[in-house]
Amino acid sequence: MTVADIWSTALAVLASVGGGGLIVVGLSSWLGKVWASRILESEKNRYNREMEALRSGYSRELEQWKSELTKAHFDFQTRFGFYFEKRAESIMQIYGGLHMADARIADLVAAVQFGGEDVRIEKDRTAQEAFNQVAAEFYRSCIFLDEDTVDAIETVLSHMRIAFSAYRVGQNSGPGGGADFELLYKASQTMKNDVPPLMKELEQQFRAMLKVTSPGDAQLAHAAERAHRDRSICP
């Protein structure tokens, strides 16, 4: 074999080996891409399943929380609605009862009286009845009122009771079993000077509790002006 033949054979072998290596490298690269793609797809699917499971779990928890919040809100509205309704009803009854008792007792202890003993006895009875009714309503409903309002009502009732007691005792505790004009005067002044400002303060508390605001001077002036204008337009 000549040198040329040896070199020719060697080059052929190298060419053959080199081409196979390229084929192996190419196959390895292709297989790597295939497996990487499959692994990526598998991880993606697993990730999607986990995310869907989390999403479903959170959705169930959210719906549960919504249901509990709705129930709590309904319960709160029901309780608050009942409480506000009872409080408003109590305020209406007590407010009206206090004004009735105030009028009856003030008429009973007024310095100037008309009529005989029968009239006085009837005034005494109706005043006592009005006072007892509002006192009973107050003690039945005071649980729905705040402490400041309860104290204010008790103060009004206390002054009415003082005036009533002074009047009754003053009827026959004076000299010789006659009238004690000092006590009668105290009863009259209590109802004339002490009770009205207490009633006014209590009325403001009631309005605040019911969120009712009194119109200001500007509102009243505007309303009067508008009413005058409307009357002038009417035929």
Side-chain angles (χ1 to χ4, degrees), residues 77-178:
Q77 284 188 319
T78 302
R79 290 176 181 272
F80 182 78
F82 171 78
Y83 172 77
F84 186 83
E85 180 182 354
K86 296 299 294 185
R87 186 174 66 175
E89 180 182 346
S90 300
I91 289 174
M92 180 182 67
Q93 295 295 333
I94 294 171
Y95 181 72
L98 284 174
H99 274 284
M100 179 62 70
D102 178 35
R104 298 293 190 188
I105 298 174
D107 184 44
L108 173 67
V109 304
V112 179
Q113 296 286 334
F114 299 96
E117 182 66 11
D118 291 343
V119 174
R120 188 194 70 78
I121 292 175
E122 178 62 18
K123 286 184 177 181
D124 187 290
R125 185 190 67 78
T126 56
Q128 180 70 67
E129 184 179 89
F131 180 85
N132 290 343
Q133 286 180 352
V134 69
E137 180 64 34
F138 165 64
Y139 290 115
R140 181 168 56 246
S141 307
C142 62
I143 190 62
F144 297 104
L145 307 175
D146 60 75
E147 293 184 2
D148 290 340
T149 304
V150 169
D151 292 341
I153 297 172
E154 287 182 335
T155 300
V156 173
L157 291 175
S158 176
H159 279 74
M160 289 182 177
R161 190 181 294 109
I162 289 172
F164 211 158
S165 299
Y167 172 80
R168 282 188 167 178
V169 174
Q171 286 297 309
N172 53 16
S173 62

Side-chain angles (χ1 to χ4, degrees), residues 194-213:
D194 297 341
V195 173
L198 293 173
M199 289 284 290
K200 186 63 178 178
E201 181 181 352
L202 181 60
E203 178 181 336
Q204 293 174 349
Q205 287 184 247
F206 282 159
R207 289 181 182 277
M209 292 173 66
L210 296 174
K211 298 294 185 291
V212 178
T213 57

Side-chain angles (χ1 to χ4, degrees), residues 3-80:
V3 175
D5 293 334
I6 294 173
W7 277 107
S8 178
T9 303
L11 289 173
V13 171
L14 289 175
S16 176
V17 173
L22 291 175
I23 293 174
V24 171
V25 171
L27 288 174
S28 298
S29 177
W30 177 77
L31 288 174
K33 290 180 179 180
V34 170
W35 282 108
S37 178
R38 290 183 177 180
I39 293 173
L40 180 61
E41 186 67 24
S42 176
E43 289 297 314
K44 181 180 178 181
N45 292 335
R46 184 176 64 84
Y47 173 77
N48 288 336
R49 288 194 299 270
E50 292 178 355
M51 288 297 297
E52 184 61 30
L54 288 174
R55 189 180 297 109
S56 298
Y58 287 142
S59 296
R60 287 193 299 271
E61 291 183 7
L62 180 61
E63 290 301 320
Q64 182 178 357
W65 277 108
K66 284 183 178 179
S67 176
E68 292 179 1
L69 285 174
T70 301
K71 181 180 178 181
H73 181 66
F74 176 78
D75 184 61
F76 173 79
Q77 284 188 319
T78 302
R79 290 176 181 272
F80 182 78

